[in-house]
Amino acid sequence: MKPCVEDRKKFDLDLAYGSVREDRVAEMLQDKKIEVKSEKDLWQKTGNICVEYESWGKPSGIEATESDYWFHNLCIGDDEYCTLVFKTDVLKKIVSKLDKFRTVSGGDHNASKMYLVNLQKLFSTDVIKAFKDIDDE
């Protein structure tokens, strides 16, 4: 079935919207600093990812990065299942609004402290609302 004129107008709007997003993804990879973290298989069992904020008693990870973007790979075995991408300042604001008591230790000699971020909660309406509130600040 051929699209009618109304469909084409909507397609043009969708195409313009999509083109802007494509340009933004390209910008993430050009002349920007990125931080890349990878979660191994455990995220599948727990539904959580870890965002490091301290190591050996000093700020690290999300608290120390100078990156513009934070890439968080979710891996299954040696393969990347998907990659979550955040503007680093947005992820900092999101984790600052999360339950601070949800932390774990890990890394070499358990010297790192990490926020435990539940993936369902990360994409919940409460966190999305908080994001919108952050954006309005």
Side-chain angles (χ1 to χ4, degrees):
M1 175 169 23
K2 258 186 151 174
C4 63
V5 173
E6 291 81 20
D7 291 337
R8 283 196 305 264
K9 287 180 184 176
K10 183 174 180 339
F11 172 79
D12 292 343
L13 293 174
D14 290 343
L15 180 62
Y17 184 85
S19 293
V20 168
R21 282 8 184 229
E22 289 172 4
D23 291 344
R24 288 183 183 173
V25 169
E27 287 173 16
M28 285 182 208
L29 303 173
Q30 296 174 357
D31 303 318
K32 300 288 188 215
K33 293 179 186 174
I34 64 170
E35 183 94 19
V36 180
K37 300 296 180 185
S38 296
E39 294 283 334
K40 295 182 183 172
D41 301 302
L42 198 56
W43 67 272
Q44 297 171 75
K45 296 175 188 159
T46 66
N48 299 314
I49 60 171
C50 293
V51 178
E52 182 179 308
Y53 65 91
E54 181 181 301
S55 186
W56 298 101
K58 296 181 181 172
S60 66
I62 195 71
E63 294 300 327
T65 188
E66 295 178 2
S67 69
D68 299 299
Y69 290 93
W70 182 281
F71 287 66
H72 208 104
N73 294 318
L74 302 182
C75 300
I76 299 175
D78 291 334
D79 298 320
E80 289 79 18
Y81 173 71
C82 70
T83 302
L84 306 174
V85 180
F86 299 91
K87 286 184 177 179
T88 302
D89 61 336
V90 169
L91 183 59
K92 284 181 180 181
K93 290 175 183 176
I94 289 170
V95 297
S96 76
K97 303 269 186 204
L98 295 175
D99 305 325
K100 293 295 185 193
F101 65 88
R102 299 281 303 172
T103 62
V104 295
S105 295
D108 296 335
H109 305 289
N110 278 335
S112 297
K113 292 184 180 176
M114 298 164 272
Y115 297 121
L116 205 56
V117 180
N118 181 275
L119 289 168
Q120 283 186 337
K121 186 172 184 178
L122 182 62
F123 295 103
S124 72
T125 53
D126 292 342
V127 173
I128 292 169
K129 181 184 179 311
F131 169 76
K132 289 178 182 176
D133 292 344
I134 290 166
D135 222 22
D136 292 339
E137 292 175 358

PDB file of all heavy atoms in Angstrom, residues 78-97:
ATOM      1  N   ASP A  78      31.618 -13.371  26.263  1.00  0.00           N
ATOM      2  CA  ASP A  78      32.563 -12.430  25.660  1.00  0.00           C
ATOM      3  C   ASP A  78      31.900 -11.472  24.674  1.00  0.00           C
ATOM      4  O   ASP A  78      32.577 -10.665  24.036  1.00  0.00           O
ATOM      5  CB  ASP A  78      33.676 -13.201  24.937  1.00  0.00           C
ATOM      6  CG  ASP A  78      34.587 -13.943  25.891  1.00  0.00           C
ATOM      7  OD1 ASP A  78      34.700 -13.517  27.066  1.00  0.00           O
ATOM      8  OD2 ASP A  78      35.185 -14.952  25.476  1.00  0.00           O
ATOM      9  N   ASP A  79      30.590 -11.558  24.540  1.00  0.00           N
ATOM     10  CA  ASP A  79      29.879 -10.749  23.552  1.00  0.00           C
ATOM     11  C   ASP A  79      29.092  -9.628  24.210  1.00  0.00           C
ATOM     12  O   ASP A  79      28.497  -9.805  25.279  1.00  0.00           O
ATOM     13  CB  ASP A  79      28.909 -11.623  22.744  1.00  0.00           C
ATOM     14  CG  ASP A  79      29.640 -12.700  21.954  1.00  0.00           C
ATOM     15  OD1 ASP A  79      30.709 -12.406  21.396  1.00  0.00           O
ATOM     16  OD2 ASP A  79      29.137 -13.838  21.922  1.00  0.00           O
ATOM     17  N   GLU A  80      29.077  -8.470  23.534  1.00  0.00           N
ATOM     18  CA  GLU A  80      28.249  -7.365  23.995  1.00  0.00           C
ATOM     19  C   GLU A  80      26.810  -7.633  23.583  1.00  0.00           C
ATOM     20  O   GLU A  80      26.535  -7.835  22.409  1.00  0.00           O
ATOM     21  CB  GLU A  80      28.705  -6.021  23.403  1.00  0.00           C
ATOM     22  CG  GLU A  80      30.011  -5.503  23.941  1.00  0.00           C
ATOM     23  CD  GLU A  80      31.219  -6.177  23.309  1.00  0.00           C
ATOM     24  OE1 GLU A  80      31.082  -6.797  22.224  1.00  0.00           O
ATOM     25  OE2 GLU A  80      32.299  -6.121  23.914  1.00  0.00           O
ATOM     26  N   TYR A  81      25.931  -7.644  24.576  1.00  0.00           N
ATOM     27  CA  TYR A  81      24.506  -7.827  24.314  1.00  0.00           C
ATOM     28  C   TYR A  81      23.912  -6.483  23.879  1.00  0.00           C
ATOM     29  O   TYR A  81      23.177  -6.402  22.908  1.00  0.00           O
ATOM     30  CB  TYR A  81      23.825  -8.347  25.574  1.00  0.00           C
ATOM     31  CG  TYR A  81      22.329  -8.414  25.499  1.00  0.00           C
ATOM     32  CD1 TYR A  81      21.708  -9.354  24.697  1.00  0.00           C
ATOM     33  CD2 TYR A  81      21.546  -7.538  26.233  1.00  0.00           C
ATOM     34  CE1 TYR A  81      20.330  -9.424  24.615  1.00  0.00           C
ATOM     35  CE2 TYR A  81      20.169  -7.601  26.163  1.00  0.00           C
ATOM     36  CZ  TYR A  81      19.563  -8.540  25.357  1.00  0.00           C
ATOM     37  OH  TYR A  81      18.206  -8.592  25.285  1.00  0.00           O
ATOM     38  N   CYS A  82      24.264  -5.433  24.631  1.00  0.00           N
ATOM     39  CA  CYS A  82      23.837  -4.087  24.276  1.00  0.00           C
ATOM     40  C   CYS A  82      24.733  -3.094  25.014  1.00  0.00           C
ATOM     41  O   CYS A  82      25.490  -3.468  25.901  1.00  0.00           O
ATOM     42  CB  CYS A  82      22.367  -3.839  24.599  1.00  0.00           C
ATOM     43  SG  CYS A  82      21.995  -3.747  26.355  1.00  0.00           S
ATOM     44  N   THR A  83      24.621  -1.855  24.642  1.00  0.00           N
ATOM     45  CA  THR A  83      25.382  -0.795  25.300  1.00  0.00           C
ATOM     46  C   THR A  83      24.431   0.327  25.668  1.00  0.00           C
ATOM     47  O   THR A  83      23.699   0.837  24.820  1.00  0.00           O
ATOM     48  CB  THR A  83      26.494  -0.256  24.382  1.00  0.00           C
ATOM     49  OG1 THR A  83      27.357  -1.333  24.012  1.00  0.00           O
ATOM     50  CG2 THR A  83      27.301   0.824  25.073  1.00  0.00           C
ATOM     51  N   LEU A  84      24.450   0.683  26.952  1.00  0.00           N
ATOM     52  CA  LEU A  84      23.688   1.839  27.421  1.00  0.00           C
ATOM     53  C   LEU A  84      24.606   3.046  27.305  1.00  0.00           C
ATOM     54  O   LEU A  84      25.780   2.973  27.660  1.00  0.00           O
ATOM     55  CB  LEU A  84      23.275   1.650  28.879  1.00  0.00           C
ATOM     56  CG  LEU A  84      22.512   0.370  29.219  1.00  0.00           C
ATOM     57  CD1 LEU A  84      22.309   0.249  30.714  1.00  0.00           C
ATOM     58  CD2 LEU A  84      21.191   0.346  28.483  1.00  0.00           C
ATOM     59  N   VAL A  85      24.082   4.155  26.831  1.00  0.00           N
ATOM     60  CA  VAL A  85      24.889   5.356  26.670  1.00  0.00           C
ATOM     61  C   VAL A  85      24.202   6.506  27.398  1.00  0.00           C
ATOM     62  O   VAL A  85      23.009   6.747  27.201  1.00  0.00           O
ATOM     63  CB  VAL A  85      25.066   5.720  25.174  1.00  0.00           C
ATOM     64  CG1 VAL A  85      25.923   6.975  25.032  1.00  0.00           C
ATOM     65  CG2 VAL A  85      25.655   4.563  24.397  1.00  0.00           C
ATOM     66  N   PHE A  86      24.986   7.184  28.241  1.00  0.00           N
ATOM     67  CA  PHE A  86      24.471   8.323  28.997  1.00  0.00           C
ATOM     68  C   PHE A  86      25.397   9.509  28.795  1.00  0.00           C
ATOM     69  O   PHE A  86      26.612   9.335  28.692  1.00  0.00           O
ATOM     70  CB  PHE A  86      24.471   8.030  30.511  1.00  0.00           C
ATOM     71  CG  PHE A  86      23.627   6.874  30.912  1.00  0.00           C
ATOM     72  CD1 PHE A  86      24.171   5.601  30.982  1.00  0.00           C
ATOM     73  CD2 PHE A  86      22.287   7.050  31.232  1.00  0.00           C
ATOM     74  CE1 PHE A  86      23.392   4.520  31.368  1.00  0.00           C
ATOM     75  CE2 PHE A  86      21.510   5.975  31.612  1.00  0.00           C
ATOM     76  CZ  PHE A  86      22.055   4.711  31.680  1.00  0.00           C
ATOM     77  N   LYS A  87      24.848  10.703  28.787  1.00  0.00           N
ATOM     78  CA  LYS A  87      25.696  11.856  28.997  1.00  0.00           C
ATOM     79  C   LYS A  87      26.176  11.699  30.437  1.00  0.00           C
ATOM     80  O   LYS A  87      25.377  11.422  31.334  1.00  0.00           O
ATOM     81  CB  LYS A  87      24.909  13.157  28.829  1.00  0.00           C
ATOM     82  CG  LYS A  87      24.574  13.482  27.394  1.00  0.00           C
ATOM     83  CD  LYS A  87      23.882  14.823  27.298  1.00  0.00           C
ATOM     84  CE  LYS A  87      23.614  15.175  25.858  1.00  0.00           C
ATOM     85  NZ  LYS A  87      22.918  16.466  25.737  1.00  0.00           N
ATOM     86  N   THR A  88      27.465  11.857  30.653  1.00  0.00           N
ATOM     87  CA  THR A  88      28.018  11.586  31.977  1.00  0.00           C
ATOM     88  C   THR A  88      27.377  12.454  33.046  1.00  0.00           C
ATOM     89  O   THR A  88      27.042  11.956  34.128  1.00  0.00           O
ATOM     90  CB  THR A  88      29.552  11.762  31.967  1.00  0.00           C
ATOM     91  OG1 THR A  88      30.095  10.876  30.986  1.00  0.00           O
ATOM     92  CG2 THR A  88      30.150  11.432  33.319  1.00  0.00           C
ATOM     93  N   ASP A  89      27.165  13.729  32.770  1.00  0.00           N
ATOM     94  CA  ASP A  89      26.558  14.587  33.786  1.00  0.00           C
ATOM     95  C   ASP A  89      25.134  14.149  34.124  1.00  0.00           C
ATOM     96  O   ASP A  89      24.696  14.250  35.273  1.00  0.00           O
ATOM     97  CB  ASP A  89      26.607  16.060  33.382  1.00  0.00           C
ATOM     98  CG  ASP A  89      25.866  16.375  32.088  1.00  0.00           C
ATOM     99  OD1 ASP A  89      25.692  15.475  31.245  1.00  0.00           O
ATOM    100  OD2 ASP A  89      25.462  17.546  31.913  1.00  0.00           O
ATOM    101  N   VAL A  90      24.423  13.605  33.152  1.00  0.00           N
ATOM    102  CA  VAL A  90      23.064  13.104  33.414  1.00  0.00           C
ATOM    103  C   VAL A  90      23.136  11.859  34.293  1.00  0.00           C
ATOM    104  O   VAL A  90      22.388  11.740  35.273  1.00  0.00           O
ATOM    105  CB  VAL A  90      22.321  12.803  32.091  1.00  0.00           C
ATOM    106  CG1 VAL A  90      21.024  12.040  32.352  1.00  0.00           C
ATOM    107  CG2 VAL A  90      22.037  14.095  31.341  1.00  0.00           C
ATOM    108  N   LEU A  91      24.050  10.926  33.993  1.00  0.00           N
ATOM    109  CA  LEU A  91      24.180   9.727  34.824  1.00  0.00           C
ATOM    110  C   LEU A  91      24.576  10.097  36.249  1.00  0.00           C
ATOM    111  O   LEU A  91      24.059   9.528  37.203  1.00  0.00           O
ATOM    112  CB  LEU A  91      25.182   8.744  34.223  1.00  0.00           C
ATOM    113  CG  LEU A  91      25.334   7.423  34.980  1.00  0.00           C
ATOM    114  CD1 LEU A  91      24.003   6.665  35.071  1.00  0.00           C
ATOM    115  CD2 LEU A  91      26.401   6.553  34.329  1.00  0.00           C
ATOM    116  N   LYS A  92      25.449  11.069  36.402  1.00  0.00           N
ATOM    117  CA  LYS A  92      25.830  11.530  37.750  1.00  0.00           C
ATOM    118  C   LYS A  92      24.598  12.006  38.514  1.00  0.00           C
ATOM    119  O   LYS A  92      24.427  11.694  39.686  1.00  0.00           O
ATOM    120  CB  LYS A  92      26.844  12.666  37.675  1.00  0.00           C
ATOM    121  CG  LYS A  92      28.235  12.244  37.334  1.00  0.00           C
ATOM    122  CD  LYS A  92      29.173  13.442  37.300  1.00  0.00           C
ATOM    123  CE  LYS A  92      30.578  13.021  36.950  1.00  0.00           C
ATOM    124  NZ  LYS A  92      31.518  14.146  36.932  1.00  0.00           N
ATOM    125  N   LYS A  93      23.756  12.773  37.848  1.00  0.00           N
ATOM    126  CA  LYS A  93      22.547  13.281  38.501  1.00  0.00           C
ATOM    127  C   LYS A  93      21.583  12.152  38.827  1.00  0.00           C
ATOM    128  O   LYS A  93      20.964  12.148  39.881  1.00  0.00           O
ATOM    129  CB  LYS A  93      21.884  14.341  37.634  1.00  0.00           C
ATOM    130  CG  LYS A  93      22.691  15.615  37.570  1.00  0.00           C
ATOM    131  CD  LYS A  93      22.094  16.613  36.604  1.00  0.00           C
ATOM    132  CE  LYS A  93      22.968  17.855  36.501  1.00  0.00           C
ATOM    133  NZ  LYS A  93      22.483  18.798  35.514  1.00  0.00           N
ATOM    134  N   ILE A  94      21.466  11.180  37.919  1.00  0.00           N
ATOM    135  CA  ILE A  94      20.565  10.053  38.169  1.00  0.00           C
ATOM    136  C   ILE A  94      21.034   9.262  39.382  1.00  0.00           C
ATOM    137  O   ILE A  94      20.248   8.991  40.281  1.00  0.00           O
ATOM    138  CB  ILE A  94      20.456   9.141  36.924  1.00  0.00           C
ATOM    139  CG1 ILE A  94      19.671   9.851  35.820  1.00  0.00           C
ATOM    140  CG2 ILE A  94      19.788   7.817  37.278  1.00  0.00           C
ATOM    141  CD1 ILE A  94      19.711   9.143  34.470  1.00  0.00           C
ATOM    142  N   VAL A  95      22.323   8.899  39.428  1.00  0.00           N
ATOM    143  CA  VAL A  95      22.785   8.093  40.561  1.00  0.00           C
ATOM    144  C   VAL A  95      22.740   8.886  41.857  1.00  0.00           C
ATOM    145  O   VAL A  95      22.563   8.312  42.925  1.00  0.00           O
ATOM    146  CB  VAL A  95      24.176   7.447  40.344  1.00  0.00           C
ATOM    147  CG1 VAL A  95      24.147   6.472  39.193  1.00  0.00           C
ATOM    148  CG2 VAL A  95      25.273   8.460  40.182  1.00  0.00           C
ATOM    149  N   SER A  96      22.849  10.207  41.778  1.00  0.00           N
ATOM    150  CA  SER A  96      22.759  11.009  43.002  1.00  0.00           C
ATOM    151  C   SER A  96      21.351  10.980  43.582  1.00  0.00           C
ATOM    152  O   SER A  96      21.165  11.203  44.774  1.00  0.00           O
ATOM    153  CB  SER A  96      23.200  12.452  42.740  1.00  0.00           C
ATOM    154  OG  SER A  96      22.198  13.167  42.047  1.00  0.00           O
ATOM    155  N   LYS A  97      20.368  10.680  42.745  1.00  0.00           N
ATOM    156  CA  LYS A  97      18.970  10.616  43.195  1.00  0.00           C
ATOM    157  C   LYS A  97      18.566   9.207  43.633  1.00  0.00           C
ATOM    158  O   LYS A  97      17.497   9.010  44.176  1.00  0.00           O
ATOM    159  CB  LYS A  97      18.030  11.068  42.076  1.00  0.00           C
ATOM    160  CG  LYS A  97      18.287  12.442  41.539  1.00  0.00           C
ATOM    161  CD  LYS A  97      17.500  13.467  42.264  1.00  0.00           C
ATOM    162  CE  LYS A  97      17.674  14.816  41.580  1.00  0.00           C
ATOM    163  NZ  LYS A  97      17.424  15.901  42.467  1.00  0.00           N
TER     164      LYS A  97
END
